[in-house]
Amino acid sequence: MEFPFDINHLFPERFSILDQTLVAGRKTAGMPHLQANIETVIDELGRASAKAQQLPASITSASKLQSQKHQLYLLKDGESNGGRGVVVGFLKVGYKKLFLLDRQGSHVEAEPLCILDFYIAENLQRYGYGRELFEFMLQHKKLEPVLMAYDRPSPKFLSFLAKHYCLTPSVPQANNFVVFEGFFVNISVAQ
Ligand code: ACO
């Protein structure tokens, strides 16, 4: 995904982690012009993700990120676009208190890290970038995929999780979240 400004200037590293402050690196802190460009990137990514998932509205935007305690992992390719860089995609995570049904049909209260949004630019899908970004987040959070919950995963994402992590959906839930076989065995829950 190309932008009319230098992506390498905004995001110095291959992976950036953005939170409520929208600060991607030392250079952008307190620099309104660069902050505005970061907001443009997040809004554009959010729109593209919603379109790809056929959602009526974006679930990721700069203003949403500023008002919620979520983290957005962004992957860039710094060499493309004549050295100005392109944004490859993003992954958004956050903790949510959920009421889930286990195999016995009991309600279990848990607050797992949830995958809330995930998008790789259309022309770059199926080249391994999604896995690279997902792995970076797992290492950063020191987590296994089975310990997380997934908000309304798309067919492509379900296929991704089955292929790379051998995950198969567990008990169907009453909400939009999906947890996988092994979730209830592994997670420590507060009932
Ligand atoms: N059709 C079916 N499966 C796909 C497709 C596709 N078009 N694209 C990727 N996958 C799955 C497959 O399992 C594929 O393996 P295969 O090519 O051997 O069949 C595997 O992902 C490829 O792995 P990566 O290359 O690492 O994944 P990619 O870089 O494509 O990223 C992602 C995966 C993020 C799901 C990407 O395809 C995408 O952005 N899709 C559109 C948006 C989307 O559906 N996002 C998930 C929303 S749900 C949520 O966020 C909770």
Side-chain angles (χ1 to χ4, degrees):
M1 199 174 254
E2 293 179 10
F3 291 89
F5 40 78
D6 195 330
I7 287 299
N8 290 323
H9 196 200
L10 281 188
F11 306 110
E13 310 295 335
R14 182 166 175 79
F15 297 98
S16 300
I17 307 171
L18 295 160
D19 61 13
Q20 281 179 304
T21 61
L22 303 190
V23 174
R26 267 181 301 121
K27 283 184 191 159
T28 62
M31 296 178 76
H33 172 61
L34 295 182
Q35 285 300 108
N37 287 348
I38 289 182
E39 289 175 28
T40 300
V41 169
I42 297 169
D43 288 346
E44 200 57 47
L45 284 169
R47 270 194 289 273
S49 180
K51 191 171 170 215
Q53 296 176 64
Q54 297 171 328
L55 300 174
S58 301
I59 44 179
T60 298
S61 67
S63 63
K64 285 190 169 126
L65 196 59
Q66 280 172 311
S67 64
Q68 292 164 330
K69 277 190 173 173
H70 298 158
Q71 281 182 311
L72 187 148
Y73 294 83
L74 185 141
L75 172 62
K76 73 160 188 183
D77 172 358
E79 271 140 47
S80 298
N81 195 18
R84 288 157 65 91
V86 296
V87 176
V88 173
F90 78 99
L91 175 61
K92 189 174 76 172
V93 302
Y95 288 94
K96 294 236 176 204
K97 190 170 275 189
L98 300 176
F99 292 93
L100 299 164
L101 282 172
D102 69 11
R103 281 238 169 267
Q104 286 70 45
S106 307
H107 278 99
V108 172
E109 187 184 335
E111 195 167 356
L113 189 70
C114 300
I115 303 294
L116 304 171
D117 204 358
F118 189 18
Y119 176 73
I120 297 294
E122 305 297 325
N123 59 328
L124 299 174
Q125 290 175 16
R126 283 185 143 156
Y127 286 102
Y129 289 114
R131 182 165 197 195
E132 190 184 348
L133 186 53
F134 202 82
E135 283 289 325
F136 179 83
M137 179 277 300
L138 291 176
Q139 279 179 25
H140 182 248
K141 291 290 181 194
K142 298 187 171 52
L143 264 184
E144 297 292 324
V146 74
L147 295 175
M148 291 185 286
Y150 298 79
D151 189 0
R152 213 189 300 243
S154 65
K156 286 183 187 180
F157 192 25
L158 287 171
S159 164
F160 171 96
L161 291 168
K163 177 187 166 121
H164 296 307
Y165 302 105
C166 301
L167 292 180
T168 42
S170 176
V171 188
Q173 301 297 324
N175 50 32
N176 291 322
F177 284 83
V178 169
V179 291
F180 292 90
E181 284 299 340
F183 177 87
F184 295 106
V185 179
N186 287 292
I187 202 158
S188 68
V189 291
Q191 292 195 65

